[in-house]
Amino acid sequence: MNDITERGYANPDVLVSTDWVAAHLDDPDVRIVESNEDPLLYPSGHIPGAVEVDWTTDLNDPVRRDYLDREGFEKLASRIGITPETTVVFYGDKNNWWATYAFWVFQLFRHTNARVMDGGRLKWEKEGRPLTREKPSYPATVYKAPPRDDSRIRAFRDQVLAHVQAGGQLVDVRSPAEYSGERLHMEGYPNEGALRGGHIPGAANVPWSRAANPEDGTFKSADDLRAIYLEEQSLDPEEPTIAYCRIGERSSHTWFVLNYLLGFRDVRNYDGSWTEWGNLVGVPIEK
Amino acid sequence: MTEYPEKLQQILEDFRWITDRDEWAAYLIEIADRFQPVPERIATSPYPEDHRVPFCESEAYVWAEDRPDGTLKFHFAVENPQGLSAKAMAAILDETLSGQPLEQVAQVSDEIVLAIFGKNVSMGKGQGLMGLVAMVREAARKRLRERQS
């Protein structure tokens, strides 16, 4: 199903196709943003006109474990030449994993005029579409951002603990081996310093990448997603849901899927995730 | 302690002086462009699991071919077409460690990944790249052990 509008999503407008992006490359009201895990990909070639937003250098506070503050976001927005009215389209590697992470951080500042390019970099490349090494330059803008709002889509450890104690709904998006505690980290990835293995009690386990079609990185249809999250895992879209992984990046992909594609009522991303929970003294853990 | 091969020392020195992120990326992309996949006479896809680099998400593989002079020629495959960092690291290892004294190759530390990629590499990717270094180092150590026994 190539047509996004036919896939039955709750909010199909949050996705745009590669065709749509190709038709808006010169649109001054649209800014294409690439966010990757591999820092060499953007400079090796990107969609013409796309700017890079890097998760370490642009989105994270360099000292504290936190995201950039309002001032930092305003500077970033100014650098990439956007205003609150600009339609920002994110895309990237790894089935848009890092693109949805950047998208999520932008939502902390309520830049709601945001989209994700379905299929990301993989689909664009597979279709043989143009890439350039030329870095675009846009006139700096003045962007007045609201204060960062962590209350709607971000969960902190005390809130997670209260959620667990109330029997709330959680989704652990890590690999089954991490979830079981057999491994403390993602397969192929390092142990990032968690002292205990396992998962937050009551969490369902749905590895994040199950939401994407591996051959082209596009999101699965709403029916296929419902089969996983609702039927197989018995998650209730009406119940408040918290997603987590290791540091909150993979779970931003699942947050995106549950919130926008399946229309869950209240989804938050616990970015402290396992690197925090697995080190906290006295919190409950299930194996 | 045995010193690193001169070519490796030189490239580590280059990265010490590169502070601009664009310059850093351009240099590594140039290196990645020189990446030569493993020749068919050594291996063909699908590659055997025992040559697969642990912790590498870009599905990298390593082979060590014996040379008449007793050194090793290293070959690599990177299955992920977007695994640019892995290709750059593989090209560096081939260009700086193939044909070098095994005693020196056996001493190469994972730390060279940090020296080359620094804070620009995610925690996950760093481990995969270190896996590449570890496979090369282990191949040299294995040959040295075999020769001593």
Side-chain angles (χ1 to χ4, degrees):
Chain A
M1 251 186 287
N2 285 328
D3 194 337
I4 291 163
T5 56
E6 290 175 4
R7 292 193 216 148
Y9 298 139
N11 299 282
D13 292 349
V14 80
L15 289 180
V16 293
S17 64
T18 49
D19 279 341
W20 188 95
V21 170
H24 288 82
L25 291 182
D26 298 320
D27 187 338
D29 298 326
V30 172
R31 182 71 68 248
I32 317 289
V33 172
E34 177 161 340
S35 280
N36 297 317
E37 182 185 34
D38 192 326
L40 299 185
L41 280 175
Y42 174 85
S44 76
H46 49 263
I47 295 179
V51 295
E52 182 185 26
V53 168
D54 181 75
W55 70 285
T56 36
T57 56
D58 288 321
L59 300 179
N60 277 279
D61 185 291
V63 181
R64 287 163 27 135
R65 183 174 175 186
D66 204 351
Y67 298 103
L68 72 181
D69 57 12
R70 172 162 66 175
E71 193 188 352
F73 184 77
E74 287 176 343
K75 276 188 188 158
L76 171 63
S78 171
R79 176 177 74 73
I80 63 175
I82 62 167
T83 68
E85 287 72 43
T86 308
T87 299
V88 178
V89 178
F90 295 89
Y91 77 101
D93 63 355
K94 301 261 170 80
N95 299 341
N96 275 326
W97 159 8
W98 301 90
T100 52
Y101 188 45
F103 180 104
W104 178 76
V105 173
F106 270 57
Q107 298 320 301
L108 295 174
F109 297 95
R110 291 184 179 270
H111 190 96
T112 51
N113 210 356
R115 313 276 185 273
V116 168
M117 184 178 84
D118 193 38
R121 199 182 156 98
L122 180 66
K123 187 163 192 282
W124 184 272
E125 278 188 26
K126 278 197 161 180
E127 291 169 347
R129 295 180 188 270
L131 294 170
T132 178
R133 289 189 176 185
E134 193 182 325
K135 276 176 87 168
S137 163
Y138 298 103
T141 48
V142 175
Y143 190 114
K144 289 281 172 211
R148 196 181 71 209
D149 179 5
D150 292 332
S151 66
R152 295 170 305 120
I153 57 172
R154 189 179 184 194
F156 292 95
R157 64 182 184 210
D158 292 343
Q159 297 165 335
V160 176
L161 186 59
H163 187 76
V164 172
Q165 287 164 342
Q169 190 162 269
L170 289 133
V171 189
D172 183 321
V173 315
R174 299 173 302 159
S175 62
E178 288 172 283
Y179 176 82
S180 69
E182 183 187 330
R183 273 177 193 271
L184 285 175
H185 54 91
M186 186 176 174
E187 196 162 356
Y189 275 66
N191 176 352
E192 285 176 315
L195 288 171
R196 290 289 185 270
H199 57 268
I200 300 177
N205 182 215
V206 188
W208 70 280
S209 58
R210 288 187 66 192
N213 294 306
E215 66 277 8
D216 64 359
T218 54
F219 289 101
K220 288 182 177 168
S221 70
D223 279 347
D224 289 348
L225 293 172
R226 271 192 290 272
I228 297 170
Y229 294 98
L230 276 62
E231 288 156 35
E232 181 192 301
Q233 299 292 334
S234 306
L235 295 171
D236 182 350
E238 295 304 313
E239 288 295 315
T241 307
I242 292 176
Y244 72 94
C245 57
R246 175 187 53 147
I247 53 169
E249 11 66 296
R250 282 174 282 173
S251 45
S252 59
H253 190 273
T254 300
W255 165 82
F256 182 88
V257 167
L258 297 180
N259 192 35
Y260 293 100
L261 305 188
L262 288 181
F264 274 46
R265 194 173 59 80
D266 171 11
V267 191
R268 283 176 292 161
N269 182 20
Y270 171 36
D271 58 277
S273 275
W274 197 256
T275 52
E276 180 171 82
W277 197 268
N279 283 317
L280 280 175
V281 176
V283 295
I285 288 176
E286 214 167 65
K287 286 190 98 157
Chain B
M1 190 184 141
T2 317
E3 285 200 330
Y4 283 170
E6 197 179 323
K7 284 181 184 169
L8 180 57
Q9 286 187 44
Q10 182 58 54
I11 210 160
L12 295 178
E13 189 68 11
D14 288 350
F15 279 102
R16 256 188 70 190
W17 295 105
I18 298 177
T19 50
D20 179 74
R21 194 169 184 265
D22 289 347
E23 196 187 334
W24 168 84
Y27 190 31
L28 274 172
I29 290 165
E30 189 186 308
I31 294 171
D33 285 344
R34 297 201 296 266
F35 171 76
Q36 298 283 335
V38 62
E40 285 187 5
R41 65 179 176 80
I42 300 288
T44 52
S45 183
Y47 302 117
E49 277 300 304
D50 55 345
H51 287 266
R52 187 173 176 149
V53 178
F55 306 122
C56 187
E57 234 217 8
S58 290
E59 291 177 62
Y61 297 78
V62 178
W63 292 263
E65 181 186 19
D66 288 290
R67 283 178 154 177
D69 64 359
T71 64
L72 292 170
K73 161 74 180 170
F74 297 103
H75 300 283
F76 302 87
V78 177
E79 293 282 78
N80 173 7
Q82 297 189 339
L84 214 51
S85 293
K87 285 180 185 169
M89 193 68 220
I92 289 172
L93 293 171
D94 176 30
E95 291 174 6
T96 65
L97 300 180
S98 286
Q100 300 302 312
L102 294 188
E103 291 77 8
Q104 289 188 336
V105 180
Q107 297 294 326
V108 174
S109 158
D110 295 353
E111 299 280 311
I112 66 166
V113 171
L114 301 175
I116 294 166
F117 287 87
K119 64 176 184 185
N120 289 311
V121 73
S122 69
M123 291 171 283
K125 190 162 282 299
Q127 194 75 3
L129 299 173
M130 286 179 186
L132 267 170
V133 178
M135 289 274 282
V136 166
R137 180 178 61 229
E138 189 47 38
R141 289 183 178 174
K142 187 170 169 235
R143 290 299 192 288
L144 285 172
R145 283 197 302 270
E146 285 166 358
R147 285 171 200 176
Q148 281 161 3
S149 60

